[in-house]
Amino acid sequence: MLVAGNWKMNTDVPDGRALAASIAEGLSSASSDLGTVEFLVCPPYVHLPAVTDALADAPVTVGAQDMHAEDEGAYTGDVSAPMLTSIGCDAVILGHSERRKYYDETDADVNAKAQQAQAHGLVPIVCVGETLEQRKAGEADTVVQGQVDGALSGVPIDSADELVVAYEPIWAIGTGESAEPEQAQEMHAVIRDDLTERYGTAVADDVPLLYGGSMKPHNAYGLLSQPDIDGGLIGSASLAAESFLGIAEKAGKVLEEARD
Ligand code: PGA
């Protein structure tokens, strides 16, 4: 179970460091069993050194929110995979719907970045998800399958820990309106089938499939108890240690129940 925070373009560096420190502190004093829950935070680029430092002794890995598909070059304003690994990043979010919408990122762009991430040992967190119009038109499955195929073609993975896929229905992101657990599960099953065809059952069964879109402490349990939902990619609720850890607690509860 992976609980991942996407801070987007929020907090300045001192506030980001303080947020990371409160997450570390909250995890060290957590009363419930979070033993096998894994944590990741993806702050803005300029926060990465401070956040990595603040989380040095915590069981939380650090990722970025995007990257360029080339190693280096004349790409003003961009950041590359080797830059990210050089400061201790383990993962990178790719193809978030906000990147697709505001920067016209295509599946081909996401694919090039996913290959580049993989080549540098960064785990790509590939985001997919349909718009409300596409859902209403009954196109959600096709759209999401197309995004998965577009992003992952030529990305061979040997083990499940080399890839994360996040299903984030666009209509649920930042709107406070989450998908119903069953709705999310249906789409996760579609994604799982796609990954199974691509990578075989042994690998696909264990690739973490995250749900994203207004996941909060109050709805996390229902979502995380679905068989194909292996964690969350959390936006606004990851900006306060209390709500981020509140979701983590629900993840811990789901895992504990699965063990019993
Ligand atoms: P949200 O964002 O939790 O604020 O809806 C999720 C995301 O965009 O990753």
Side-chain angles (χ1 to χ4, degrees), residues 6 8 96 98 168 172-174 212-215 233-236:
N6 172 11
K8 307 193 180 181
H96 190 280
E98 287 149 15
E168 302 206 303
I173 295 177
S214 301
M215 185 183 273
L233 182 55
I234 301 143
S236 44

Side-chain angles (χ1 to χ4, degrees), residues 130-145:
E130 80 286 357
T131 63
L132 190 56
E133 293 68 39
Q134 289 164 334
R135 174 159 284 268
K136 283 185 176 157
E139 294 165 359
D141 290 16
T142 333
V143 167
V144 167
Q145 275 171 319

Side-chain angles (χ1 to χ4, degrees), residues 32 87 89 103 132 143 146 151 185 188 190 203 206 212 226 250:
S32 43
I87 48 164
C89 268
Y103 303 95
L132 190 56
V143 167
Q185 164 57 29
H188 280 231
V190 167
V203 170
D206 289 334
Q226 299 299 315
K250 299 294 162 53

Side-chain angles (χ1 to χ4, degrees), residues 97 137 161 217 255:
S97 62
D161 55 14
L255 287 178

